[in-house]
Amino acid sequence: MVLENAYTDIFTEFDESIFSDGSIDPMGLRIIWTSLGNAVFHNKLNTISTDIRYYTLNLFHHYVIQNAESRNEDKLFNRLGKAPYFNKQDFDDGLVIFLESLLTHAVYRINNKGRYFAVPGISKLSGILAEAPDDERAIYLTVERRTGILIRHILLGIHGRHKGPFQQMGIFQQGNYYADKTVWNEAGQLFDRNPWDALAGELADILTQKVFDALLSAKGAIKIPVEEVLNEKLLDLYEAALEDKNFREQEMISFWEKRLGLLEGAARILYEELKEFIHSSGGENLDYEKIIKSASGKGDPVFNKYIKAICAIEPLIAGIERMANRLLQRGTSEIDSALEEFALKVLEDNNINLSLIAEYLTTDYLTQEALNRLKKLYTIYAESRQAKTPEKFIQSLIEYHKNIMESRNNMAWLSYGNNKITQHRSFNYSAKSLEEMEASRWVNNYYLSTVHSLYKGLYQQ
């Protein structure tokens, strides 16, 4: 989950990845483009969960837990209702933290043998083991949702990053991750071959012996010394399972393409177009704007209308974002001729078609909150464009920004009064960012970079 206004270290050179991602969002535009993107991908994608290996590892960990719980139903329910396992989800979250911590310890030891695998928390664990070997995270594996190697591991670990997409894909059910037995039978078919099967069996045995058998007598969170479970046999099983080829078997590819919704509706149109561009270009330096525009003319009109909505609306919100970033350029203090010229260029951008945008200003394409914001920006832009008043455009955008920041209970980054612009936050932009700011190009890719990354994980890397 990305929080609006989460970046506070602003006295640095502007980062292009932030510029295009919208994570620095003084105009509240993220809610608009994510709403349009989710109309295509049905909330199954985000800009954080982009590595298909972690999707598979999360599915695998939960498959192991579901398997172990089905073996130990009586022991499971005898322990629930007492701290820290007040309910089944508390316990399941604790088990997945246990498995993720065990995985990270295993990867640390495997990497020390000359291999290299990456998992969330590996850098943190390396630092702990080097600088604080007496830290509990270096010694114990704890079954508790509030622990883990990372701070806020339950949010930032593999499970935390993929919980939302798994819910949207129907893998996790509300209140009980494992309620849909069909899903876990399907997962069992994916992992019923070695090396997955051997590793799953070993981990299920560890959960049974070290966790479930300890439940009745345990007080508080269950803790198991790392050295009690992480032996050479388990390390070998982890190393074998983490090989790239095991994440790209055809059954795995089919499972994720189906679950991610990439084989149906508007998502399929974009996915097919992305693959065509990858095959024709070798997959390097893809132009997501060009891909989306090309896809908007293909496929069933029932579905590609959502892609057309993106093509209509993105030029406007891209222009607004460029305008906001220009106002935040360090040293901007008045509406001078250079700033007016920049604003007029945005107002005269022929890529912004107001009559076309108006067709998509409905809740068929946007959430109500996103629609409300876009309508306000649309009105500001339309009135300034018609009157050819760049100064009014600038003043109106600063006022709009002030209202957005007040709604977050934060101080505005810009204010205007007495014919002066006051910057409460500002940026020194890189040369590339300044070039991007001048160009009439899109600044959001509507999760297509995530789709590209997932595709590479399934087929290329």
Side-chain angles (χ1 to χ4, degrees), residues 52 129 140 222 233 283 329 337 395 401 403:
I52 200 66
L129 291 171
Y140 293 104
I222 299 167
K233 177 184 177 182
Q329 183 176 356
S337 58
Q395 292 172 3
H401 158 71
N403 292 335

Side-chain angles (χ1 to χ4, degrees), residues 14 18 32 56 175 207 210 215 235 248 265 341-342 382 452 454:
F14 201 80
I18 295 173
I32 299 173
T56 298
L207 292 183
K210 301 296 182 180
L215 285 179
L235 284 175
R248 292 201 299 267
E341 182 180 346
F342 187 96
H452 186 195
L454 296 174

Side-chain angles (χ1 to χ4, degrees), residues 94-211:
L95 289 176
V96 80
I97 291 292
F98 171 86
L99 289 178
E100 287 188 22
S101 299
L102 178 56
L103 169 68
T104 308
H105 275 274
V107 167
Y108 174 82
R109 297 189 187 190
I110 292 168
N111 289 352
N112 282 345
K113 296 193 299 182
R115 301 298 305 276
Y116 180 74
F117 297 111
V119 292
I122 188 63
S123 296
K124 183 70 173 179
L125 179 61
S126 298
I128 291 169
L129 291 171
E131 299 170 13
D134 294 331
D135 190 299
E136 281 207 351
R137 291 168 291 180
I139 302 169
Y140 293 104
L141 302 166
T142 306
V143 182
E144 216 275 297
R145 71 186 312 273
R146 291 179 297 179
T147 62
I149 291 168
L150 294 167
I151 296 174
R152 300 189 306 280
H153 197 117
I154 193 63
L155 296 177
L156 301 177
I158 297 173
H159 167 76
R161 289 168 178 256
H162 296 84
K163 181 177 179 179
F166 271 46
Q167 289 173 327
Q168 295 299 328
M169 285 187 278
I171 295 174
F172 290 165
Q173 300 301 305
Q174 190 69 30
N176 182 356
Y177 297 140
Y178 316 124
D180 188 342
K181 300 303 181 185
T182 303
V183 171
W184 300 102
N185 289 337
E186 192 174 353
Q189 293 173 16
L190 292 179
F191 300 123
D192 70 351
R193 69 208 73 187
N194 285 328
W196 292 115
D197 189 48
L199 178 58
E202 191 71 14
L203 292 175
D205 286 345
I206 289 171
L207 292 183
T208 295
Q209 296 163 14
K210 301 296 182 180
V211 178

Side-chain angles (χ1 to χ4, degrees), residues 30-46:
R30 183 179 180 85
I31 194 173
I32 299 173
W33 76 257
T34 57
S35 182
L36 290 165
N38 285 329
V40 173
F41 294 108
H42 303 288
N43 299 290
K44 295 176 181 178
L45 300 179
N46 57 44

